[in-house]
Amino acid sequence: MRLNRQVHTSARMQEFLDPQNWLITTETVILTALGLVIPVLIALAVHWFLFKILKKIVSATPYLLDDAIVERMYRPMRWAMAGFALSIAAHADALVGAGWDEAAKWLTPVLLGWVAYSLIGAIAKGLEDDVESRIDAVAARSYSTRISILTRTAKVAVIIITIALVMLNVPGVRDIGVTMMASAGLAALAVGAAAQPALKSLIAGLQMAITQPLRIGDLVLVDGQAGRVEEIRMSFVTVRTWDERVLVVPTSRFLDESFENWSRVNEQLTGPVMLHLDPIADIPPIRAEFERFVKAHPLFDGRNLALLMTDAYPESVALRLSMSAETIGDLWTLRCETREHMLGWIRENQEEALIRHRLEVPGGHEKAEEPGAP
């Protein structure tokens, strides 16, 4: 019965599309144009009025999520409502209905996909704005990372589903789909083997969103290169170094291999400055000057401050000057300025503590004192 109905519908469509069966008059053209334009204009007016009210409502709320949804859904909903108006007009006009039935097969999935895609982006944008305005920076990075990864996953799913629904309107593609469903086992194996890298990246991205070994904005050390995480995608992570280079690292690598995350909990960090001096150096005055300088420095946060002799060799000693700061950038500046100050102070107050390479020649002093020696 269903096959007979499809054949009957196809026959009616062919009969309608036959130009010999068209009775085109000026009145018919005008009525058809009015049947198209009037519903669309009404839909656009309703859309404008509805969103004007919504903008006033959401502007009075303290949340940013509703503002982002209304702002980003304005354009896709305008086209969706125009399509809805044409669908209503198609039921009232046979000429419009015949053409709309064919066009709707292609336009409906596209419009629905656009609306879903925009809604996902609007929700993500609103959640990020709310998070940044209500919680601290570290927690905001955590939420932003989850939102970013899950949003990209949802958008990719919407795009794939939309393309699949559009392509199903192509008879050849539909036939291929039916054939693949008939051999679902073999098709599943083939698709699984071909899509293994993509599935691995998808799983790694979702795992990254859930476990969060790193987040957007974290300072990480990868392959000896330190930089800020700028973007986390399903297949790769971009890290911006201090000299503005961008490292592109596969997402799965952060799950399979070890790396350093310097801002996992917060950006408070302790860093060292190493000084290699002559063993004759007087350590207590150096320690006192180091503590005086760092305590007076505006970037020191007062948490950790110590000077320790970590190594001693026949020709040198190693001093580790450790200090802390609120942020990683402040710590870097504090370490650089402390290193410069301490070397200058030692040069002015304990010049003998600076390492010099010495060469001793047995009997050289006696020979130098002999008459006639140069």
Side-chain angles (χ1 to χ4, degrees):
M1 181 181 297
R2 184 175 181 180
L3 180 60
N4 293 334
R5 187 185 307 166
Q6 292 178 351
V7 171
H8 181 65
T9 303
S10 178
R12 289 184 57 190
M13 190 64 191
Q14 292 179 359
E15 181 181 358
F16 174 79
L17 293 177
D18 187 359
Q20 296 180 357
N21 297 326
W22 292 358
L23 183 60
I24 300 177
T25 61
T26 303
E27 183 180 359
T28 304
V29 173
I30 294 175
L31 291 176
T32 303
L34 291 176
L36 290 171
V37 173
I38 292 177
V40 171
L41 291 178
I42 294 175
L44 294 178
V46 172
H47 169 269
W48 176 82
F49 181 74
L50 179 62
F51 270 80
K52 189 173 183 180
I53 295 176
L54 289 175
K55 287 181 180 179
K56 290 184 178 180
I57 294 175
V58 300
S59 62
T61 63
Y63 303 101
L64 301 176
L65 175 60
D66 47 8
D67 296 86
I69 292 177
V70 171
E71 180 182 356
R72 295 209 171 190
M73 295 302 294
Y74 184 84
R75 290 185 61 190
M77 286 303 300
R78 179 172 58 186
W79 288 98
M81 292 185 70
F84 181 70
L86 289 176
S87 179
I88 295 176
H91 290 283
D93 193 320
L95 183 61
V96 176
W100 175 252
D101 289 340
E102 289 298 316
K105 295 179 182 179
W106 304 87
L107 294 178
T108 301
V110 174
L111 287 175
L112 292 178
W114 187 15
V115 170
Y117 188 91
S118 300
L119 181 60
I120 293 172
I123 294 175
K125 181 64 168 57
L127 290 176
E128 288 181 355
D129 292 341
D130 275 334
V131 163
E132 292 177 357
S133 62
R134 292 177 181 274
I135 60 178
D136 60 276
V138 176
R141 291 207 307 268
S142 176
Y143 282 105
S144 296
T145 302
R146 285 196 181 98
I147 293 170
S148 176
I149 295 177
L150 296 177
T151 298
R152 289 195 179 97
T153 304
K155 285 184 175 181
V156 169
V158 169
I159 292 174
I160 293 174
I161 294 173
T162 301
I163 294 176
L165 292 176
V166 172
M167 294 302 292
L168 284 177
N169 292 312
V170 181
V173 175
R174 190 188 305 116
D175 295 339
I176 293 175
V178 173
T179 304
M180 290 182 64
M181 288 297 293
S183 56
L186 182 60
L189 291 176
V191 172
Q196 184 177 1
L199 292 175
K200 183 179 180 180
S201 298
L202 176 63
I203 294 173
L206 293 176
Q207 189 174 354
M208 186 79 73
I210 296 172
T211 59
Q212 288 194 338
L214 77 163
R215 300 156 301 187
I216 296 175
D218 279 352
L219 186 63
V220 297
L221 182 67
V222 183
D223 293 336
Q225 302 285 335
R228 292 277 182 184
V229 177
E230 276 195 343
E231 195 174 14
I232 301 178
R233 292 187 174 270
M234 307 304 295
S235 56
F236 63 88
V237 176
T238 59
V239 179
R240 175 79 65 173
T241 61
W242 68 273
D243 55 356
E244 299 184 357
R245 290 178 294 118
V246 177
L247 303 179
V248 181
V249 186
T251 303
S252 58
R253 182 173 177 181
F254 289 97
L255 301 174
D256 299 336
E257 301 179 14
S258 60
F259 66 97
E260 294 185 21
N261 189 338
W262 294 350
S263 56
R264 181 68 180 85
V265 178
N266 53 51
E267 290 208 2
Q268 292 181 341
L269 205 64
T270 300
V273 169
M274 300 301 299
L275 294 180
H276 297 273
L277 304 176
D278 193 279
I280 201 175
D282 190 7
I283 305 303
I286 297 176
R287 179 181 289 110
E289 177 59 23
F290 162 67
E291 293 179 351
R292 183 201 67 79
F293 174 78
V294 175
K295 288 180 179 179
H297 201 286
L299 297 181
F300 177 59
D301 64 354
R303 291 186 301 113
N304 297 319
L305 182 65
L307 186 151
L308 299 174
M309 182 184 294
T310 57
D311 278 307
Y313 304 98
E315 294 294 329
S316 67
V317 294
L319 304 183
R320 188 185 70 186
L321 291 64
S322 59
M323 63 213 77
S324 61
E326 285 291 334
T327 67
I328 297 172
D330 291 346
L331 178 62
W332 172 261
T333 303
L334 178 60
R335 289 171 60 196
C336 293
E337 295 183 3
T338 301
R339 185 183 296 111
E340 180 181 355
H341 172 78
M342 292 306 300
L343 284 177
W345 186 89
I346 294 172
R347 187 167 51 249
E348 293 178 0
N349 297 273
Q350 292 192 35
E351 187 176 358
E352 67 278 5
L354 298 176
I355 296 176
R356 292 174 174 83
H357 294 287
R358 300 176 177 88
L359 179 63
E360 294 185 0
V361 179
H365 182 68
E366 292 80 1
K367 293 181 179 180
E369 293 179 350
E370 292 179 359

